[in-house]
Amino acid sequence: MFSSARIRLLIALAIVTPVLVYWGFSGDTVPQQPGGTREDSGSIDFFMRDAETVYWSTDGARAREWSAPELNHYPQRSRSELRQPQTLMPTGDGGIYKMRANEGWIVDDQSQIQLAGSVEVHHNPQSGPAGILTTSSLTIFPPQNLARTDEPATLVRDGERTDTVGLEVYFDQRRIELLSNVQGRYNAR
C-alpha cells in the first residue's frame, strides 16, 4: 500500500502540477507593469550591468569614457539611464576631469549627458592645484566640450571656495563662467 510520505508527495504533485502547466502555457513569463504595454515610454529594450564605454576622437585619442553599475536603455525616450555613473574626460594638457553622480542619462546620439544627485566634478590638471565642483545637476554637451547648470554650485580649489547659482564649464579652454549670485572666500597667504 501507500505510505503517508508517498501520499503527501502525490498530493503536493497534484497541487503544483496545474500551476506549472498554466505557467508554461501562458506564454509571457515577464510581468507587465500595471496599465502599461511593452511599447510605452517606460519600456526597456536592453540593460547592462557594470557597463563601460570609451569614446575616441577623430585623431584616435581617448575623448571620454563612462562607467555605471547599471544601465537601462529606453528606445521610446531615445536615451540610456545610468545608476551611479562616472565619467572621465582627459584634457589636452595631460590632466583629467572625473565626474560622478547618483544618476544620469545619455541621449542616443551622444550629444548630451545629464548628471543628477550629488554631482561632483574633479579637475586634476597635469600641473597646478586640483579643483572640485559640486552641484545637484549638470548637463554635459560632449561635442562642444561644455557643461552647464542653472542650480547652485560650489567650486573649491587650493583652499579657495566660490559659490554661484548657475555656471558654464568650457573643458577645452579650462574656463568657468559663473552666472549669478557669486560669492567667494579666499584664504590670504
Side-chain angles (χ1 to χ4, degrees), residues 66-167:
W66 61 261
S67 62
E70 181 179 321
L71 172 145
N72 296 309
H73 183 258
Y74 296 87
Q76 297 297 325
R77 298 178 194 170
S78 298
R79 71 183 196 188
S80 296
E81 295 185 3
L82 311 166
R83 185 175 54 86
Q84 299 175 336
Q86 292 191 24
T87 303
L88 299 174
M89 293 177 60
T91 63
D93 62 358
I96 193 163
Y97 287 98
K98 181 178 182 180
M99 296 167 251
R100 66 179 171 206
N102 292 340
E103 60 187 357
W105 53 261
I106 301 174
V107 296
D108 285 350
D109 68 1
Q110 309 297 318
S111 64
Q112 186 177 350
I113 302 169
Q114 178 70 42
L115 300 176
S118 301
V119 178
E120 295 181 3
V121 178
H122 297 264
H123 179 221
N124 298 307
Q126 187 70 13
S127 62
I132 184 172
L133 159 69
T134 56
T135 187
S136 62
S137 174
L138 186 68
T139 305
I140 304 162
F141 302 94
Q144 294 88 18
N145 278 322
L146 168 71
R148 173 183 301 143
T149 186
D150 293 326
E151 300 298 320
T154 300
L155 299 152
V156 177
R157 182 176 174 210
D158 201 24
E160 300 173 352
R161 176 185 169 130
T162 304
D163 294 301
T164 183
V165 175
L167 59 76

